[in-house]
Amino acid sequence: IASTFSVTSSSVTSFSNTVAVSGSSAAVSIGSSCQFISTSTTTISSSASFIASPGSSCQFSGGLSVASSTFSMTQTTVSVSTWTLSSSTISISSSSAVTVASMSQASGTFTASSSTMTVSSTATVAAATWSLASSTITISSTMYTSSASTISVTSGSTMMVERVEMSSSSVMYVSDSSTTWNSNGRARCRGKSKFRGRSGCTCNFNSGVDVDEDSEMDLQSTTLTSTSTVFSSSTCTLSSSTVTSTTLNGTNASTTLSSSTTITVSSTFYSFSSSTTTLSGGSTLSVTQMQMSLSTITISDSSSTLAVEGTANTQVAVFGASSAITGNGRLGFRRGRFSVTSSSLLVALILSSASSAFDHQRSLLQTDLTTTSPAVSGCGSVVSGSSLTIGSGASLDVDISCTYGTETWNIFGTSSTY
């Protein structure tokens, strides 16, 4: 086909041999209520166009290749066995429904609006731009993005992938409060790639996520859940966001929490090998257990907290060699034991199982445990010498006979005498 080819008046056009649509004058038009069926290979190339009108349907059971051309469908049902795209413009709109066995795209654009697409196998996107608005996209196997590709999921869209592999500076952008992004298998963001969440979207990594090789996770006003989150040689920036993860592991990583961001780790938080974590603007990092060495946590302001929920009679935190927790915020332990080795805790330290204790400004302010004598002091009849222990190289002072005096405290603007 090298010129205009139109299917009209509810016609059904079927080809059992190869169909080639080629050249800038080549234009296939499928009219309303018409059908286009090709059981062999169909190729659209060299600035050709293929347009499917509302109510039409197209079947490409022999595979569809679109190269340097335009493929547009509006309120159309399309099924494709293998879809190969290169340097082309693809548009799906107005309640179109597309089913594909597998697809790959090298450069060009892919736009879906108020439509659905299901890919039963893999989807590979390289150097291309996808824009999904008010649409549902399901990829039942792995989605590969590379070569600076950009995938934008916005305006109430839902994207579900079995697994995603991002590489080579590719970008996944998820935005809007009614937009949901899901990965059932473990996701990986590597090779200077970026995962960005914005404006109230929800992102679920149901089998965890790895962010490594100078890649970045950047979330603003985003809710994210994950089973296992690993940052390695990467950057994580969180603002006004909520993150829930079973485990969180940082190795040579930079993590920043700001503007009332909350991270909840239901199991263990790890911070190793020159990792840095910064909390500010009323942010909270709440963990059940934690381990850190050769890394730094900065709790910048008094409204931010690192809270270790812990378990009674269990070691819940290990601060290994060259660890440091600094700043003007609070480090709180509700229950359990923690050990400090060649490290610095230069923050307000709160030891209390009370549910509201971490919200108060009163705390035991401790500095460098290797130079302070005593390293820990206790006062009051509720403290016994056996309830506080200190490792070798530091000292402990317990006075069970002392009593508290009366003092007026200003707690978040309310003054009371205690």
Side-chain angles (χ1 to χ4, degrees):
I1 301 174
S3 58
T4 301
F5 183 92
S6 299
V7 181
T8 62
S9 304
S10 302
S11 298
V12 178
T13 303
S14 178
F15 298 94
S16 58
N17 293 319
T18 299
V19 176
V21 184
S22 180
S24 58
S25 298
V28 175
S29 175
I30 311 302
S32 178
S33 301
C34 295
Q35 296 182 54
F36 183 92
I37 302 171
S38 175
T39 58
S40 187
T41 303
T42 300
T43 302
I44 305 170
S45 63
S46 303
S47 302
S49 65
F50 190 106
I51 299 174
S53 299
S56 62
S57 65
C58 302
Q59 300 176 37
F60 301 94
S61 57
L64 173 63
S65 174
V66 184
S68 302
S69 297
T70 300
F71 189 98
S72 175
M73 60 197 85
T74 303
Q75 198 176 334
T76 303
T77 301
V78 177
S79 63
V80 187
S81 58
T82 301
W83 200 358
T84 304
L85 311 171
S86 61
S87 303
S88 296
T89 300
I90 311 300
S91 176
I92 306 171
S93 63
S94 302
S95 301
S96 291
V98 180
T99 57
V100 186
S102 65
M103 69 179 300
S104 63
Q105 182 173 11
S107 71
T109 61
F110 185 99
T111 304
S113 175
S114 302
S115 298
T116 63
M117 183 172 76
T118 301
V119 182
S120 58
S121 185
T122 59
T124 303
V125 183
T129 300
W130 281 27
S131 299
L132 314 177
S134 304
S135 298
T136 299
I137 307 297
T138 303
I139 299 173
S140 300
S141 186
T142 303
M143 181 179 194
Y144 300 93
T145 67
S146 62
S147 304
S149 293
T150 298
I151 312 296
S152 296
V153 187
T154 64
S155 304
S157 294
T158 298
M159 186 169 190
M160 297 175 286
V161 299
E162 182 59 31
R163 185 168 173 266
V164 65
E165 288 271 357
M166 300 171 57
S167 63
S168 305
S169 301
S170 57
V171 177
M172 185 74 68
Y173 179 84
V174 186
S175 180
D176 301 327
S177 59
S178 55
T179 298
T180 302
W181 191 95
N182 295 281
S183 174
N184 291 324
R186 191 161 187 87
R188 189 176 185 191
C189 179
R190 60 189 178 92
K192 298 183 178 180
S193 295
K194 294 179 175 62
F195 189 101
R196 291 174 174 165
R198 296 288 189 273
S199 303
C201 67
T202 299
C203 303
N204 301 310
F205 294 92
N206 298 324
S207 294
V209 57
D210 297 307
V211 183
D212 51 27
E213 297 180 5
D214 294 322
S215 295
E216 178 184 354
M217 178 172 282
D218 178 10
L219 307 180
Q220 296 180 20
S221 302
T222 297
T223 299
L224 182 146
T225 61
S226 174
T227 56
S228 169
T229 306
V230 177
F231 298 116
S232 177
S233 300
S234 58
T235 301
C236 176
T237 304
L238 310 173
S239 175
S240 302
S241 296
T242 301
V243 176
T244 303
S245 185
T246 305
T247 60
L248 179 60
N249 192 322
T251 302
N252 190 30
S254 173
T255 304
T256 302
L257 290 68
S258 64
S259 302
S260 300
T261 289
T262 298
I263 296 181
T264 303
V265 181
S266 59
S267 183
T268 307
F269 169 73
Y270 302 92
S271 181
F272 300 132
S273 303
S274 303
S275 290
T276 61
T277 303
T278 303
L279 289 75
S280 66
S283 295
T284 299
L285 172 58
S286 177
V287 305
T288 301
Q289 302 180 66
M290 67 179 295
Q291 297 180 27
M292 64 182 297
S293 65
L294 302 171
S295 58
T296 302
I297 297 176
T298 302
I299 311 174
S300 298
D301 52 62
S302 60
S303 62
S304 298
T305 302
L306 167 57
V308 183
E309 300 296 332
T311 303
N313 302 314
T314 303
Q315 180 155 297
V316 298
V318 177
F319 302 103
S322 300
S323 297
I325 301 183
T326 65
N328 298 314
R330 304 183 295 268
L331 168 61
F333 290 87
R334 292 206 192 279
R335 55 190 68 83
R337 303 189 302 271
F338 64 94
S339 64
V340 183
T341 305
S342 301
S343 301
S344 300
L345 304 181
L346 308 179
V347 290
L349 181 62
I350 303 175
L351 310 176
S352 175
S353 60
S355 60
S356 60
F358 296 175
D359 296 328
H360 294 171
Q361 301 301 310
R362 291 178 294 167
S363 62
L364 168 64
L365 179 58
Q366 193 55 267
T367 55
D368 189 341
L369 294 180
T370 61
T371 60
T372 301
S373 181
V376 172
S377 61
C379 176
S381 58
V382 296
V383 178
S384 66
S386 61
S387 65
L388 295 174
T389 59
I390 276 292
S392 61
S395 60
L396 169 67
D397 177 32
V398 178
D399 182 357
I400 63 173
S401 65
C402 66
T403 58
Y404 291 104
T406 299
E407 188 171 358
T408 299
W409 295 81
N410 186 312
I411 303 174
F412 291 107
T414 301
S415 295
S416 298
T417 300
Y418 297 89

